[in-house]
Amino acid sequence: MARTAASFTCTACGAVHKKWAGRCDACGGWNTIVEEAPLSQGGAKALSAKGRSIPLTDLATEEAPPPRARSGIAEFDRVLGGGLVPASAVLVGGDPGIGKSTLLLQATAAFARSGMKVLYVSGEEAAAQVRMRAQRLGLHDAPVALGAETNLRDILTTLDAERPALAVIDSIQTMWADTVEAAPGSVSQVRAAAHELVTFAKRRGVAVILVGHVTKEGQIAGPRVVEHMVDTVLYFEGERGHQFRILRAVKNRFGPADEIGVFEMTGGGLSQVPNPSALFLSERGQPQPGSAVFAGIEGTRPVLTEIQALVAPSTLASPRRTVVGLDSGRVSTILAVLEARCGIPFAGLDVFLNVAGGMRVTEPAADLAVAAALLSAREDAALPADMAVFGEISLSGALRPVGQAENRLKEASKLGFSQAIAPEGTKSDGGEGIRLRKMADLAAFVGEIFGAG
Ligand code: TYD
Ligand code: MG
């Protein structure tokens, strides 16, 4: 039988190529393509053989939605869509050292204490290390079954014998299937291990949580290839220098995507932050030029964040545009709209933008707050300290209304803001203690706030 040729897979996006290349055509990543072992011999032939016909049903069902298991860590349960769905597969990705193991050890212990049978398999740390961490976190008395192993065959055998309701695999990159001839952490190993574990979860009714490391460059055979296989993908994010950590649902077959849970890394592990707005705004002092408060929505919850801008004369031929926590493409668009529609140029000026607290904002509704921060920095004039803004900016300079205005305003009012600016057409008239002003376009906003058109 002819040998199947090896294929080349992009570790970032999973695209398969015929030959190696320095850059992946599909996602544009550099140095992400690696060689993969060929598929097992005769695979294609075996599939063309006659199979059995699968049982078909209709869409109607009598079954109630699955009961969800709650850990009691409200921020964690919220991101899962209200608790862990039995027999589901969850991927928790994040940079090394961000706190994935800590979070999952805490969650596993919480599930165990609520009477669930749980198994925690560490492929990265020795059992003694995990026990020491548990001791430090005050979790040593939780009835968690702990194993330190990387051999997938042994792990699956153990899971089959123990039949826990939840198994945590920390991490998928350390797992090693003896059926695949590749090093642990390679795309083929990660994919094979994830596939085995997810299929096992579905077949045996065990929920699995897989931990996956990603680097900023996506260099390590990433959880990206695993994302398609699991029901829920959560990313644990945060800046190294900040103690805030955000658990974000980027895919969820059982709940809203974009939901976030906010935690704080302390000496005693991760503690929940039930009111993130208060936390993200807590470092605001006197009103400063370049600061604007954005009334945003993260998943099902309103969150207020501070957008900070600094604008300074540049010595460079092409001035700097440094953006942290926001989409830099959108920022460029806003700068262009300010210049073209309001006659406010940023040429010759360096622009730095940041979201306070290490938060990342993806909503287009943040446009107006970004523009406000930029203008305030450029004019060196502080915005009123009690003002929150939200709204999308279109290329024409018009302001477009965004969803959930009522919730945004309620949250702002709760945190002591007494005025807000939003686009014309916003479906709200302000609320208790908050005066809402609506504006049709960016030029009107500039005139109103900075007294110049
Ligand atoms: P860890 O959970 O090991 O990260 P990951 O599994 O994502 O690689 O967390 C590592 C960091 O968290 C480490 O730098 C120390 C810090 N940490 C605390 O600050 N407090 C704690 O109670 C614990 C357990 C860890
Ligand atoms: Mg870890």
Side-chain angles (χ1 to χ4, degrees), residues 114-445:
S114 72
M116 198 175 182
K117 183 167 178 181
V118 294
L119 216 147
Y120 186 99
V121 182
S122 177
E124 306 212 322
E125 293 160 297
Q129 260 175 300
V130 180
R131 278 201 297 266
M132 247 153 65
R133 177 179 305 189
Q135 180 87 34
R136 198 147 65 78
L137 299 175
L139 304 172
H140 50 285
D141 58 345
V144 174
L146 173 67
E149 185 53 65
T150 56
N151 185 327
L152 194 63
R153 191 180 290 277
D154 295 347
I155 291 171
L156 289 173
T157 307
T158 312
L159 288 181
D160 210 12
E162 296 286 329
R163 292 291 172 90
L166 165 67
V168 175
I169 308 292
D170 186 3
S171 67
I172 191 71
Q173 272 99 1
T174 54
M175 294 299 132
W176 165 76
D178 54 20
T179 48
V180 179
E181 271 181 53
S186 63
V187 184
S188 0
Q189 277 291 4
V190 168
R191 186 156 40 198
H195 179 74
E196 288 295 331
L197 285 160
V198 172
T199 343
F200 180 88
K202 302 282 163 207
R203 209 174 50 229
R204 297 282 195 245
V206 175
V208 291
I209 301 183
L210 309 175
V211 174
H213 293 299
V214 263
T215 62
K216 289 248 156 61
E217 301 78 35
Q219 286 288 12
I220 300 177
R224 281 291 148 83
V225 296
V226 183
E227 283 183 4
H228 313 288
M229 298 183 208
V230 296
D231 302 306
T232 303
V233 178
L234 310 180
Y235 270 89
F236 204 35
E237 334 170 312
E239 298 293 323
R240 277 293 161 81
H242 287 107
Q243 71 270 43
F244 313 133
R245 297 285 181 270
I246 291 157
L247 186 65
R248 187 187 294 271
V250 295
K251 161 182 170 179
N252 196 350
R253 288 189 185 141
F254 304 118
D258 275 339
E259 192 69 83
I260 64 164
V262 185
F263 298 89
E264 199 175 344
M265 183 61 101
T266 68
L270 290 155
S271 63
Q272 303 186 63
V273 178
N275 189 348
S277 303
L279 177 91
F280 290 131
L281 298 180
S282 64
E283 282 158 19
R284 263 168 31 109
Q286 289 302 305
Q288 293 283 342
S291 155
V293 173
F294 166 52
I297 298 281
E298 294 288 342
T300 56
R301 168 168 67 171
V303 175
L304 265 58
T305 41
E306 183 193 356
I307 313 275
Q308 302 170 333
L310 175 67
V311 174
S314 181
T315 54
L316 303 170
S318 59
R320 230 184 264 277
R321 301 283 182 258
T322 305
V323 179
V324 180
L326 294 157
D327 177 38
S328 52
R330 269 209 101 83
V331 171
S332 306
T333 309
I334 295 165
L335 288 169
V337 173
L338 280 169
E339 176 147 7
R341 309 291 179 200
C342 311
I344 301 173
F346 283 82
L349 296 169
D350 284 334
V351 171
F352 303 88
L353 266 168
N354 179 39
V355 183
M359 179 69 184
R360 195 159 59 81
V361 174
T362 51
E363 262 192 297
D367 288 356
L368 192 56
V370 171
L374 284 168
L375 287 164
S376 161
R378 190 181 182 282
E379 306 295 315
D380 199 30
L383 292 164
D386 62 346
M387 186 173 88
V389 294
F390 60 91
E392 186 178 341
I393 298 175
S394 70
L395 290 182
S396 65
L399 299 185
R400 269 202 225 127
V402 294
Q404 303 204 43
E406 205 69 54
N407 283 340
R408 296 174 199 268
L409 291 167
K410 221 180 271 170
E411 177 80 357
S413 163
K414 205 169 84 189
L415 283 146
F417 288 81
S418 54
Q419 51 174 320
I421 295 184
E424 199 74 67
T426 295
K427 288 199 189 71
S428 172
D429 295 313
E432 252 172 80
I434 195 151
R435 185 165 72 95
L436 177 68
R437 275 181 294 166
K438 301 183 189 177
M439 290 172 195
D441 55 32
L442 194 53
F445 176 78

Side-chain angles (χ1 to χ4, degrees), residues 66-86 106-116 118 166 254:
R68 287 171 186 266
R70 285 173 204 277
S71 65
I73 303 177
E75 293 293 298
F76 185 72
D77 294 340
R78 171 212 305 285
V79 178
L80 285 173
L84 184 68
V85 174
Q106 287 181 256
T108 319
F111 278 125
R113 281 177 174 159
S114 72
M116 198 175 182
V118 294
L166 165 67
F254 304 118

